């Protein structure tokens, strides 16, 4: 059984990655925060008494389900409020994110103009990478991020995604190829 | 990680998996750096969310026990007339009192509702009887006999406009007017 400290450490370790992954999926920071919070609460309420080793896999499943629930709710909501959706501004958040990244880069200890340029360039590169990751098909992105970012092995990823190990390998391979191609087209080399 | 060249599909470089993994890990390293530099407000909101989740994790042990304690008190009520069920669930004299009061708790409002509905029904009947009596009294007390309403000619007469219905009366009035003037 995971102690409260273990649960706290696990959540602290995973929360930012979970937030980012959810942002890539739903493209809305507020919604992503709500989803991550919901997933954390569900994990703590229902599975807080499980061993600490089981928490990562459980959390991935809960987060995926919470994200799917959000999409279902959005589908219903958009169906009801279809006539009002035209008034919502589109694409504003992306610009705002860029400015935010640039501002946070300026606050870094770099004190020279050249360092600021490098930081801005890095921030822009990061933004492009994130855009391409967000643009991946959902299953590919999920497999790619669980496999390489969460460092889960193929079997764990397959269990978390509810598919076969072969599907995980295929999704990961396609995601890597798509990302490499897209980033190469934008002149980004890692 | 699969690195055996013989197991790779035809046309795929032998070290393709390793290359893919290397590229993917470089990419996720960048993403990790991005995640770590999350804005302060995001970090704070995540921290609050984490604390709420931990508070929820603490709560169930305290929250579940009252449910278990409250269950025997609620069950006999849901069982209705089965008094034996309350006794079988370890109900003491205090438990029976609770059961009685709980039954009275929903019996009394139900009784009040029933009486109210009966009262409203009777009041409605009295109102309709009074309205009919008033109508009958007006009909019988009128100069026009009630049989006139059954006459088809009289209904036609009532449907006509006033000047068409009473031409003789208006002519007579016009004739009698000059005679009275001088």
């Amino acid at each position: 059984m995971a102690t409260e400290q273990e649960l706290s450490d696990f959540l602290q370790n995973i929360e930012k990655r979970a937030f980012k992954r959810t942002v890539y999926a739903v493209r809305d920071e507020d919604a992503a925060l709500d989803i991550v919070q919901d997933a954390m609460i569900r994990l703590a309420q229902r599975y807080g008494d499980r061993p600490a080793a089981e928490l990562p896999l459980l959390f991935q499943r809960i987060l995926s389900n919470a994200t799917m629930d959000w999409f279902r709710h959005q589908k219903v909501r958009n169906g009801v409020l279809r006539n009002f959706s035209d008034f919502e501004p589109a694409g504003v958040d992306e610009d705002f994110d860029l400015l935010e990244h640039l501002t946070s880069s300026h606050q870094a200890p770099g004190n020279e103009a050249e360092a600021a340029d490098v930081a801005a360039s890095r921030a822009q590169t990061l933004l492009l990478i994130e855009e391409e990751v967000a643009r991946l098909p959902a299953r590919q992105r999920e497999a790619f991020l669980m496999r390489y970012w969460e460092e889960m092995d193929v079997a764990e990823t397959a269990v978390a995604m509810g598919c076969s190990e072969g599907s995980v390998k295929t999704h990961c391979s396609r995601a890597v190829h798509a990302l490499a191609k897209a980033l190469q087209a934008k002149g980004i080399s890692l | 990680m699969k690195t055996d060249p013989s197991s790779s599909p035809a046309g795929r470089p032998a070290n393709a998996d390793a290359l893919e993994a290397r590229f993917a890990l470089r990419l996720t390293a960048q993403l990790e750096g991005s995640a770590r530099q999350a804005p302060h407000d995001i970090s704070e909101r995540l921290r609050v969310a984490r604390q709420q989740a931990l508070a929820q994790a603490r709560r169930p042990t305290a929250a579940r026990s009252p449910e278990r304690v409250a269950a025997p008190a609620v069950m006999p009520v849901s069982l209705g007339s089965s008094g034996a069920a309350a006794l079988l669930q370890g109900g003491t004299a205090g438990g029976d009192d609770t059961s009685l009061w709980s039954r009275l708790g929903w019996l009394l409002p139900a009784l009040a509702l029933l009486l109210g509905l009966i009262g409203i029904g009777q009041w409605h009947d009295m109102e309709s009887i009074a309205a009919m009596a008033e109508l009958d009294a007006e009909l019988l007390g009128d100069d026009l006999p009630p049989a006139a309403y059954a006459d088809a000619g009289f209904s036609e007469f009532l449907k006509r406009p006033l000047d068409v219905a009473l031409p003789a009366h208006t002519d007579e009035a016009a004739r009698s007017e000059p005679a009275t003037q001088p």
Side-chain angles (χ1 to χ4, degrees):
Chain A
M1 179 180 168
T3 62
E4 189 178 332
Q5 187 59 43
E6 282 174 332
L7 184 62
S8 174
D9 290 344
F10 167 72
L11 292 177
Q12 190 172 8
N13 182 40
I14 207 168
E15 63 190 13
K16 286 182 179 170
R17 289 202 301 275
F19 168 71
K20 278 286 180 183
R21 279 179 49 201
T22 314
V23 169
Y24 299 148
V26 303
R27 303 179 188 207
D28 180 346
E29 285 192 348
D30 289 328
L33 279 167
D34 289 343
I35 291 167
V36 172
Q37 180 175 10
D38 191 29
M40 284 178 172
I41 288 173
R42 280 192 213 174
L43 179 79
Q45 267 182 339
R46 297 178 195 172
Y47 304 103
D49 54 349
R50 295 293 187 90
E54 290 183 17
L55 295 181
L57 198 55
L58 287 167
F59 185 75
Q60 298 308 328
R61 289 212 73 147
I62 292 170
L63 187 65
S64 298
N65 289 339
T67 309
M68 288 300 294
D69 286 347
W70 183 85
F71 276 113
R72 285 193 198 105
H73 289 155
Q74 282 297 109
K75 197 175 175 186
V76 173
R77 184 175 160 271
N78 290 343
V80 173
L81 301 174
R82 193 179 300 157
N83 293 333
F84 298 101
S85 63
D86 295 340
F87 297 105
E88 292 174 5
V92 176
D93 286 343
E94 290 174 11
D95 293 340
F96 182 72
D97 280 351
L98 175 60
L99 286 174
E100 255 188 356
H101 276 285
L102 291 174
T103 310
S104 61
S105 301
H106 276 299
Q107 287 166 351
N111 51 2
E112 310 239 342
E114 192 180 355
D117 281 350
V118 170
S121 164
R122 192 183 303 150
Q124 197 166 4
T125 303
L126 264 177
L127 194 66
L128 290 171
I129 291 171
E130 287 185 335
E131 276 178 7
E132 290 306 327
V133 170
R135 207 170 284 164
L136 286 173
R139 298 288 281 175
Q140 285 184 23
R141 183 178 56 245
E142 205 176 352
F144 172 79
L145 293 176
M146 278 192 205
R147 179 81 183 83
Y148 295 112
W149 201 8
E150 301 294 344
E151 297 178 345
M152 294 164 73
D153 62 28
V154 176
E156 285 173 339
T157 310
V159 170
M161 290 181 65
C163 63
S164 68
E165 294 184 16
S167 299
V168 170
K169 287 178 187 170
T170 307
H171 286 317
C172 285
S173 178
R174 285 182 183 164
V176 169
H177 281 271
L179 287 170
K181 195 175 171 185
L183 294 178
Q184 191 179 14
K186 291 187 174 179
I188 297 171
S189 60
L190 298 175
Chain B
M1 191 61 59
K2 191 169 63 181
T3 53
D4 184 10
S6 61
S7 64
S8 297
R12 189 176 164 87
N15 58 348
D17 286 345
L19 285 173
E20 281 178 11
R22 196 185 305 164
F23 177 80
L25 290 172
R26 278 188 201 159
L27 205 62
T28 50
Q30 299 269 343
L31 295 176
E32 180 71 23
S34 166
R36 286 187 188 282
Q37 290 172 359
H40 180 69
D41 61 325
I42 298 288
S43 304
E44 277 302 299
R45 287 168 73 179
L46 286 170
R47 187 182 60 78
V48 171
R50 185 174 73 244
Q51 285 176 346
Q52 283 182 357
L54 291 171
Q56 291 282 336
R58 268 180 244 122
R59 192 173 298 172
T61 50
R64 278 175 201 158
S65 49
E67 284 174 12
R68 286 176 191 152
V69 169
V74 175
M75 281 299 285
V77 176
S78 62
L79 287 173
S81 59
S82 167
L87 289 172
L88 283 174
Q89 287 178 8
T92 57
D96 287 340
D97 285 347
T98 312
S99 169
L100 182 67
W101 282 112
S102 303
R103 277 184 202 167
L104 283 177
W106 66 265
L107 267 174
L108 284 177
L111 198 64
L113 182 67
L114 192 67
L115 288 175
L117 286 172
I118 291 170
I120 288 171
Q122 284 194 345
W123 175 78
H124 191 260
D125 286 348
M126 294 288 286
E127 281 288 306
S128 59
I129 288 168
M132 285 177 73
E134 192 180 351
L135 192 66
D136 286 346
E138 277 186 14
L139 200 62
L140 292 170
D142 200 4
D143 293 338
L144 195 67
Y149 291 102
D151 186 25
F154 184 64
S155 342
E156 282 300 316
F157 171 76
L158 287 178
K159 284 177 190 170
R160 285 185 192 176
L162 198 59
D163 52 345
V164 181
L166 301 169
H169 175 72
T170 48
D171 290 348
E172 193 180 337
R175 256 184 273 123
S176 60
E177 220 170 74
T180 54
Q181 281 235 340

